[in-house]
Amino acid sequence: MLFRSGGCNGATQWLGFEYAMAHGVTLEKNYPYEPVTGTCQPNKVVPAAHIKSYCRLPHASATYTAAKQYDDLMNAVVHQGPIAISAAAEPWQLYSHGVFDGPCGTDVDHAIVLVGYGAEMDKDYWLVRNSWGSDWGEQGYIRIRRDGSTSKGEQCATDKTPGDGTACKGDPKTMEVCGLCGLMSDSSYPIGGTLA
């Protein structure tokens, strides 16, 4: 079990998986969502499901290219189902519809769920479910430009504040993030899910 911190300003979706491994996954009727940073209350968790583990896809590096990262993320969403991802989502606040084309920046600090991908006219996109409610975006979803299947390819940049998202004490002070809004940079999915 890893002991790290996260919160409303963090993009540490795998902390949720670790919590689910230890306590199970409950229904919202038993433990309603509150949009505030606080302390988890295990006594409210009435397990409806369990997971055995989780898988984190590798980060971009000198030996693990953006093209390989793109292929692995595409395969994961096709073969594993929805994938927990993180992104630099601050510019999304004014999004209402269409394929979001940036700009985003590189401060990856928001965990969301990649549910699929598609194409509209001449724009390939990732389909992402956000946590801001169904009144936001396209009924709670955003389509984000996807370049991995084009000659341009997915671009990478440097996140100079990785502590806002997935980095913990002792981790590097900068991190390479790939994809528009850095959405390919920290991806994970649960393994061994069962109903309680």
Side-chain angles (χ1 to χ4, degrees), residues 17-39:
F17 292 143
E18 290 175 4
Y19 193 88
M21 288 166 55
H23 302 284
V25 178
T26 194
L27 301 174
E28 187 167 0
K29 70 179 184 178
N30 295 327
Y31 194 168
Y33 172 75
E34 295 179 25
V36 297
T37 298
T39 303

Side-chain angles (χ1 to χ4, degrees), residues 158-164 167-176:
T158 300
D159 181 349
K160 295 179 182 175
T161 55
D164 289 352
C168 296
K169 187 175 182 180
D171 285 348
K173 301 291 184 203
T174 63
M175 181 183 297
E176 185 173 40

Side-chain angles (χ1 to χ4, degrees), residues 3 24 35 43 75 90 125 127 181 195:
F3 296 96
N43 61 319
N75 284 326
E90 186 174 343
Y125 62 84
L127 181 61
C181 305
L195 295 176

Side-chain angles (χ1 to χ4, degrees), residues 89-175:
E90 186 174 343
W92 300 358
Q93 293 177 29
L94 300 177
Y95 172 80
S96 61
H97 66 281
V99 177
F100 182 80
D101 207 5
C104 293
T106 57
D107 185 15
V108 176
D109 66 353
H110 184 57
I112 57 279
V113 181
L114 175 66
V115 297
Y117 57 90
E120 178 183 273
M121 306 291 267
D122 61 342
K123 291 183 180 178
D124 291 350
Y125 62 84
W126 299 105
L127 181 61
V128 174
R129 184 179 68 225
N130 201 350
S131 59
W132 296 341
S134 60
D135 291 338
W136 173 86
E138 295 178 336
Q139 298 181 339
Y141 291 79
I142 182 172
R143 290 180 290 155
I144 302 169
R145 189 186 77 226
R146 173 174 57 91
D147 293 320
S149 59
T150 70
S151 59
K152 179 179 179 181
E154 297 289 348
Q155 302 300 300
C156 298
T158 300
D159 181 349
K160 295 179 182 175
T161 55
D164 289 352
T166 62
C168 296
K169 187 175 182 180
D171 285 348
K173 301 291 184 203
T174 63
M175 181 183 297

